[in-house]
């Protein structure tokens, strides 16, 4: 079963525009991570935000986390064609044997020039 | 690109056969996890190994098994292949122990097709 759900499922924008993707999850978490996947290849870790953090930045990426609403958002500013990919949120839980990342179904982002 | 190497990249097997997928992690990465990603879906957790012992398992039947070796390589074995096993299989490793706030490094995956 999948923990998170990304919204929207697909997003098409022009280069230079901002892209916002949302993620909702169901159970308590200790961290939430965002990954990018190009054309069905391996996933690339983008950013991790701990449950006691509300916002985190990395380059053109901004992630927010609202644990009361069990939701997170990923903002990519000034999008480029190279940002075209699928983006997944994944929740991690600590203090459990075999901590696993639980992924959502992803948002497919298409950036056209 | 990522320091985690998976082989083979593509594989076609017949229903009922057995398959072994391999993963070579970065030196020092004691934690390795395997995921199954069906087309159009997010990755699903199969199991995790830490220091050569299974450290947790997802909702997969026993015909999915694994091994982790001292040289930071690991294997995923699937017996009695079914058509629904067709998917991208991803290996992910981490320098940190399970349960830490740390991201994973993923390999490029093995695309398995069962016919």
């Amino acid at each position: 079963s999948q923990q998170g759900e990304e919204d929207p499922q697909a997003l098409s924008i022009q280069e230079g525009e901002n892209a916002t993707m949302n993620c909702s999850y169901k159970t308590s978490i200790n961290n939430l991570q965002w990954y990018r996947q190009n054309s069905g290849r391996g996933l690339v870790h983008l950013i991790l935000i701990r449950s006691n953090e509300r916002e985190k930045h990395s380059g053109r990426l901004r992630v927010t986390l609202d644990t009361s609403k069990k939701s997170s958002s990923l903002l990519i500013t000034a999008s480029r064609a190279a940002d075209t990919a699928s983006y997944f949120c994944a929740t991690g839980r600590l203090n459990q044997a075999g901590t696993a990342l639980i992924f959502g179904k992803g948002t497919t982002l298409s950036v056209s020039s | 690109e990522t320091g985690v190497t998976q082989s083979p990249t593509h594989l076609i097997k017949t229903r009922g056969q057995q398959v072994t997928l391999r993963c070579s992690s970065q030196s020092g990465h004691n934690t390795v996890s395997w995921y199954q990603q069906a087309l159009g879906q997010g990755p699903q957790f199969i199991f995790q190994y830490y220091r050569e012992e299974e450290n947790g398992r997802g909702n997969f039947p026993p015909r999915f098994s694994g091994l982790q070796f001292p040289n930071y390589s690991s294997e995923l074995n699937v017996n009695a292949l079914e058509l629904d096993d067709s998917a991208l299989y991803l290996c992910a490793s981490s320098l940190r122990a399970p349960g830490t706030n740390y991201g994973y490094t993923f390999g490029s995956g093995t695309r398995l097709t069962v016919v």
Side-chain angles (χ1 to χ4, degrees), chain B residues 3 10 15 21 30 33 45 53 79 83-84 96 105-106 109:
Chain B
H10 295 84
R15 188 172 49 184
L21 309 182
N30 291 311
S33 303
F45 174 68
E53 294 202 3
N79 293 323
L83 297 179
D84 285 348
R96 302 288 179 86
T105 302
F106 279 80

Side-chain angles (χ1 to χ4, degrees), chain A residues 65-83:
Chain A
L65 179 64
D66 187 335
T67 53
S68 66
K69 295 181 180 178
K70 291 187 170 58
S71 66
S72 172
S73 68
L74 171 67
L75 168 67
I76 304 174
T77 59
S79 296
R80 305 166 182 168
D83 294 328

Side-chain angles (χ1 to χ4, degrees), chain A residues 15-92:
Chain A
E15 262 192 331
E17 293 181 336
N18 295 340
T20 299
M21 288 159 264
N22 302 297
C23 168
S24 60
Y25 56 91
K26 298 173 185 174
T27 63
S28 63
I29 62 170
N30 292 102
N31 68 69
L32 187 143
Q33 306 180 30
W34 286 90
Y35 287 82
R36 184 187 75 216
Q37 185 176 41
N38 289 77
S39 300
R41 309 258 320 150
L43 281 79
V44 175
H45 179 256
L46 296 176
I47 198 165
L48 180 151
I49 185 166
R50 294 176 172 79
S51 61
N52 61 353
E53 297 176 312
R54 292 296 168 258
E55 188 170 312
K56 201 161 183 180
H57 296 255
S58 177
R60 295 184 294 113
L61 306 180
R62 172 178 168 255
V63 168
T64 61
L65 179 64
D66 187 335
T67 53
S68 66
K69 295 181 180 178
K70 291 187 170 58
S71 66
S72 172
S73 68
L74 171 67
L75 168 67
I76 304 174
T77 59
S79 296
R80 305 166 182 168
D83 294 328
T84 295
S86 292
Y87 292 81
F88 294 90
C89 70
T91 53

Side-chain angles (χ1 to χ4, degrees), chain A residues 88-100:
Chain A
F88 294 90
C89 70
T91 53
R93 300 186 69 177
L94 300 182
N95 300 319
Q96 277 189 318
T99 52

Side-chain angles (χ1 to χ4, degrees), chain A residues 31 37 40 42 94 97-99 101, chain B residues 35 37 48 55 88 99 101 104 107:
Chain A
N31 68 69
Q37 185 176 41
L94 300 182
T99 52
L101 291 178
Chain B
Y35 290 83
Q37 186 179 20
Q48 182 178 76
N55 192 41
L88 180 69
N101 281 314
Y104 283 79

Side-chain angles (χ1 to χ4, degrees), chain B residues 35-95:
Chain B
Y35 290 83
Q36 180 196 66
Q37 186 179 20
L39 204 59
Q41 302 292 315
Q44 298 266 347
F45 174 68
I46 302 175
F47 44 58
Q48 182 178 76
Y49 279 80
Y50 177 61
R51 293 186 172 176
E52 302 162 48
E53 294 202 3
E54 187 177 294
N55 192 41
R57 190 177 185 89
N59 190 26
F60 281 81
R63 59 189 184 83
F64 285 78
S65 63
L67 285 171
Q68 185 185 26
F69 303 102
N71 65 351
Y72 307 109
S73 66
S74 63
E75 288 180 356
L76 164 65
N77 299 290
V78 187
N79 293 323
L81 283 167
E82 301 176 359
L83 297 179
D84 285 348
D85 295 334
S86 295
L88 180 69
Y89 288 85
L90 295 161
C91 166
S93 71
S94 173
L95 183 62

